[in-house]
Amino acid sequence: MLSRIGLKYPARLHCQKVASFLSDSDRADAIILARGTQVRNRDNTDTEVDFRQESNFLYLTGVQEADFYFLYDIPNSKAYLIAPEENPTLAVWKGPGYTDKELLARYDIDFVVRYPCLLALLRDEIQPRRIHGWNRPEQGLPLKNKTLEHELEHYISHRLVHPAEPSATTTVSYQSLTADDRSHHHHGPYGDHNGHRCGHHKHPLVLARINKTPIEIALSRESTRITSDAHRLVMKSARPGMFEYQLEALFRYECARQGAKNQAYLPIVGTAVNAAYLHYTRNDTQIKDGDLVLIDAACEADCYGSDVTRTFPVNGRFSKEQADIYSLVLEMQTAVINSMEQGVDWREMAILSQKIGVRGLKRLGILKGDDTDLIESGIIRTFYPHGLGHLLGLNVHDDGLGLSIQLPPPSSYATSASASATEVSVDGFLGTKESPIAFHRTAGELAPPSTRRSRSSNAGSTSLYATPSTKLEPGMLLTVEPGIYFNPAQIAYALEKPYAAQYLDEPTLKRYMAVGGVRIEDVVLMLPNGQVENITTAPKELREVERFVQEGQQEYQRSQQMDNDGGYSVTEKKAKVVNEKTCSPIVIERVSEQEVPRGIKKRVGVFKKLLRAIRNMF
């Protein structure tokens, strides 16, 4: 999307930001060498799967094509894009690749080097003593020259920096983490939010990505805007009798129509009890009248994703029980967003949402007992089994939750002349023209986060669970996504345990089981003034949601009526209408079908067939 408006991704700034986390000795005579994603095929076929660039490589380069490498000469602030060799045979099938001149114009780099020349560049020109690698850079592309391949791998391997703790190239399993390291978010089984999915949480790339630069924020705003539009379309188009996959298709369509064809994650479209399954992606159930629909879906803009969830009644009317739970979840989210500001501990926000959830469920009669006992019991996990939210960026669960903010190590490292300006800001991405954010304030000072992890053995003085501690700082993008779910297996398990069952009012609980689940999720941005901005625009207030869905139902009914009445196939009757401006009657002569020009009749016929086809789909 940046290329459409003539902007380059700020790769050089990002490289300098990453380098700022290295010590003086680690920067001396050192380079950053990263390998991008290669073309992948389906199992045992020659059919390619959808390409998506590895997030950290994109952060360093902005490149969204396959088989590239990248080299950043730290002392000299020079960026080299290592491009695959031109392949005339491949060009027959895929079209020609970019020329060196086109690559230089397209990306924020100084030099283009074709891959077979990488060894000569390293050995004869740059001659680095240290290589800070990402994504196993020593495992290169085949060069049809085994000797050269071996020499290149040997050269890189013997200079790669291997820290004492797990490196970015080491996979840390979810099972190997301590309980305090693990995330309680609903996406937890697929990895946590502390950087462990793609590398250790102290890797400079993880640290650099926590605070977003202006163009990163602009791309996240765009993906969230498109995502919000797609949620609106789904809410207006949903009706009883449709299938969940049809809503997914509509969501994907609207995103692709606006130029964001990639989804940030598999869309979750759960109706009724399916909404209580946190990672439900089958999306194959028919929607019944009276069901709630939970859709957790978002697109990417230049690989920067969003993450938005909306829950709404498919018939446009919340039942009493549905409205009760929806209002409680909205209360939880609103209280958190209103309490967020610079310096606030994210763990405290999670605890706030959980306490409101406990008190709300007691108010509805679902929970019973003393407030303090309920809070300390941990019973809220039965209904709210995930964390409050996560960082967002190139990954939908971006790395770094659990890290606090501090400046990088003091250094005499001088940035290049092109990046040594006293201020780099982009008006309109954050705040106003009077208060733009400046992420690059002075040479060598880029406002990144700390390597310090705050570990707390408990969540305050209670046994409430919470996501890892993080102090909120400007430039952070986070999601706020509380939820209340009536998961049959989870509820049955709690009722079987006397310790948990004593807090549950079973008759009342049964009345609410049909709700399924409610989650409301927004993307929020920490501003330079320490305040928070909700950049999500999809409707979420209860009455607004009802009105929005009802408007969609009415529009559909009008289109049906037009089709049933013959659409543009009118009779010779005269109709009187009133001019809105003059209030005077106007007589409109309607023509017969025979008098309609043939071309118009043909287009009307096609339009009617299209309307019937859409109606039959739904």
Side-chain angles (χ1 to χ4, degrees):
M1 292 189 172
L2 288 176
S3 60
R4 297 181 201 165
I5 55 178
L7 289 178
K8 288 185 180 181
Y9 186 85
R12 194 186 313 275
L13 174 61
H14 289 181
C15 290
Q16 292 164 352
K17 195 176 179 188
V18 172
S20 72
F21 287 98
L22 300 171
S23 65
D24 289 346
S25 60
D26 281 338
R27 284 198 293 262
D29 297 326
I31 65 170
I32 297 171
L33 184 62
R35 183 181 72 156
T37 302
Q38 298 180 348
V39 172
R40 295 169 181 163
N41 294 338
R42 291 184 184 177
D43 295 337
N44 305 313
T45 73
D46 61 354
T47 303
E48 294 179 17
V49 299
D50 285 344
F51 177 81
R52 205 281 190 179
Q53 186 63 271
E54 195 273 326
S55 294
N56 287 287
F57 187 82
L58 190 136
Y59 182 80
L60 293 170
T61 66
V63 173
Q64 298 190 53
E65 287 83 40
D67 301 330
F68 280 81
Y69 290 72
F70 178 74
L71 187 156
Y72 184 69
D73 182 353
I74 296 175
N76 297 303
S77 298
K78 297 296 183 183
Y80 298 78
L81 186 59
I82 316 302
E85 196 171 11
E86 295 181 13
N87 187 334
T89 302
L90 186 62
V92 173
W93 297 93
K94 303 279 290 182
Y98 293 114
T99 65
D100 292 0
K101 184 177 180 181
E102 289 171 333
L103 290 170
L104 284 168
R106 189 176 181 86
Y107 299 114
D108 186 18
I109 54 175
D110 298 293
F111 305 100
V112 174
V113 176
R114 294 294 167 174
Y115 186 67
C117 300
L118 176 58
L119 178 59
L121 174 67
L122 292 169
R123 184 179 56 197
D124 303 331
E125 294 188 37
I126 300 177
Q127 299 178 354
R129 286 194 301 158
R130 295 179 180 83
I131 296 177
H132 301 282
W134 188 266
N135 201 21
R136 302 301 297 269
E138 74 278 14
Q139 295 184 355
L141 293 169
L143 295 171
K144 300 179 182 178
N145 183 328
K146 293 297 182 184
T147 301
L148 183 57
E149 289 175 20
H150 178 74
E151 288 182 11
L152 182 57
E153 181 178 355
H154 184 272
Y155 186 95
I156 296 172
S157 297
H158 280 69
R159 289 162 179 79
L160 275 176
V161 175
H162 295 285
E165 57 192 7
S167 70
T169 59
T170 302
T171 300
V172 182
S173 68
Y174 182 76
Q175 289 76 13
S176 70
L177 304 177
T178 65
D180 190 54
D181 277 331
R182 293 176 185 166
S183 164
H184 294 285
H185 186 265
H186 62 280
H187 299 288
Y190 298 90
D192 74 325
H193 300 149
N194 307 325
H196 296 292
R197 291 179 311 281
C198 58
H200 195 266
H201 65 273
K202 290 186 179 181
H203 193 284
L205 270 166
V206 173
L207 303 174
R209 283 172 48 190
I210 294 178
N211 303 84
K212 303 302 187 286
T213 56
I215 280 185
E216 289 186 284
I217 291 170
L219 290 172
S220 296
R221 283 185 184 276
E222 181 67 359
S223 66
T224 304
R225 182 194 65 77
I226 296 172
T227 292
S228 296
D229 284 351
H231 276 282
R232 288 191 190 91
L233 176 65
V234 170
M235 292 169 71
K236 277 204 164 187
S237 303
R239 58 189 62 90
M242 293 179 67
F243 285 83
E244 294 164 342
Y245 56 73
Q246 290 176 302
L247 299 188
E248 177 186 352
L250 285 168
F251 188 92
R252 287 178 179 267
Y253 158 77
E254 181 61 21
C255 293
R257 189 187 71 83
Q258 297 197 40
K261 67 176 185 177
N262 291 335
Q263 295 293 294
Y265 50 92
L266 287 177
I268 298 167
V269 185
T271 59
V273 69
N274 293 340
Y277 307 136
L278 302 178
H279 248 189
Y280 172 84
T281 56
R282 288 201 310 271
N283 302 347
D284 60 358
T285 301
Q286 191 170 25
I287 307 169
K288 298 177 182 177
D289 190 19
D291 281 352
L292 281 186
V293 178
L294 184 155
I295 175 164
D296 183 343
C299 67
E300 288 185 340
D302 284 358
C303 292
Y304 280 85
S306 183
D307 193 357
V308 175
T309 306
R310 288 294 182 263
T311 309
F312 60 91
V314 71
N315 61 11
R317 295 285 184 187
F318 285 99
S319 69
K320 179 187 180 303
E321 288 77 15
Q322 291 170 347
D324 288 343
I325 301 303
Y326 189 91
S327 298
L328 174 56
V329 174
L330 187 60
E331 178 186 356
M332 295 160 70
Q333 191 203 43
T334 301
V336 168
I337 294 176
N338 289 342
S339 302
M340 292 174 68
E341 61 182 3
Q342 183 172 356
V344 167
D345 194 310
W346 186 240
R347 182 185 295 270
E348 296 304 317
M349 295 295 95
I351 292 172
L352 172 62
S353 71
Q354 293 154 20
K355 287 182 176 179
I356 294 173
V358 167
R359 291 164 183 157
L361 290 174
K362 180 184 176 182
R363 185 172 65 242
L364 296 174
I366 296 171
L367 295 181
K368 59 185 180 180
D370 178 74
D371 282 4
T372 301
D373 291 343
L374 288 170
I375 290 170
E376 293 183 350
S377 71
I379 191 65
I380 187 63
R381 299 188 194 197
T382 303
F383 304 94
Y384 179 18
H386 59 74
L388 174 62
H390 51 84
L391 295 174
L392 183 71
L394 279 166
N395 291 336
V396 67
H397 300 148
D398 226 5
D399 305 316
L401 193 65
L403 304 178
S404 57
I405 299 295
Q406 72 175 19
L407 293 176
S411 168
S412 59
Y413 170 61
T415 60
S416 65
S418 63
S420 61
T422 57
E423 183 176 281
V424 178
S425 64
V426 181
D427 293 339
F429 290 152
L430 282 172
T432 64
K433 289 187 177 181
E434 290 72 30
S435 179
I437 189 167
F439 283 88
H440 181 196
R441 296 189 295 277
T442 60
E445 185 180 356
L446 298 173
S450 164
T451 60
R452 296 178 184 171
R453 173 184 288 278
S454 174
R455 292 178 181 269
S456 176
S457 60
N458 56 60
S461 60
T462 75
S463 58
L464 285 168
Y465 65 97
T467 48
S469 175
T470 292
K471 298 291 185 182
L472 301 181
E473 293 292 337
M476 283 183 168
L477 278 163
L478 305 98
T479 67
V480 182
E481 49 173 317
I484 296 293
Y485 312 90
F486 296 86
N487 184 298
Q490 191 109 328
I491 300 294
Y493 180 84
L495 289 171
E496 290 172 1
K497 304 297 179 183
Y499 176 76
Q502 65 178 316
Y503 300 114
L504 301 175
D505 186 276
E506 192 169 356
T508 304
L509 184 55
K510 286 181 178 179
R511 285 199 295 112
Y512 283 88
M513 289 299 294
V515 172
V518 173
R519 182 164 65 254
I520 305 172
E521 179 178 22
D522 288 343
V523 178
V524 299
L525 168 66
M526 295 303 300
L527 295 169
N529 61 7
Q531 300 303 304
V532 67
E533 178 191 355
N534 188 340
I535 65 174
T536 315
T537 60
K540 67 174 180 178
E541 297 297 329
L542 188 145
R543 296 308 175 201
E544 183 185 16
V545 168
E546 286 187 328
R547 177 181 59 79
F548 210 80
V549 176
Q550 290 169 20
E551 287 177 357
Q553 303 274 4
Q554 292 165 5
E555 289 175 9
Y556 172 69
Q557 291 170 2
R558 284 196 294 269
S559 67
Q560 267 196 321
Q561 186 64 40
M562 183 181 71
D563 193 37
N564 292 336
D565 289 345
Y568 291 99
S569 301
V570 295
T571 65
E572 293 180 298
K573 293 180 180 179
K574 294 182 179 181
K576 291 186 177 182
V577 298
V578 177
N579 186 304
E580 293 180 356
K581 293 183 179 179
T582 64
C583 295
S584 59
I586 301 175
V587 177
I588 298 179
E589 294 284 346
R590 289 188 171 180
V591 297
S592 66
E593 285 189 354
Q594 289 77 13
E595 294 173 347
V596 177
R598 182 177 300 176
I600 295 178
K601 282 184 64 178
K602 185 175 181 181
R603 288 196 294 274
V604 168
V606 171
F607 180 68
K608 289 173 61 179
K609 289 180 180 178
L610 179 61
L611 284 176
R612 282 195 292 270
I614 294 173
R615 183 183 62 189
N616 292 336
M617 284 174 56
F618 299 154

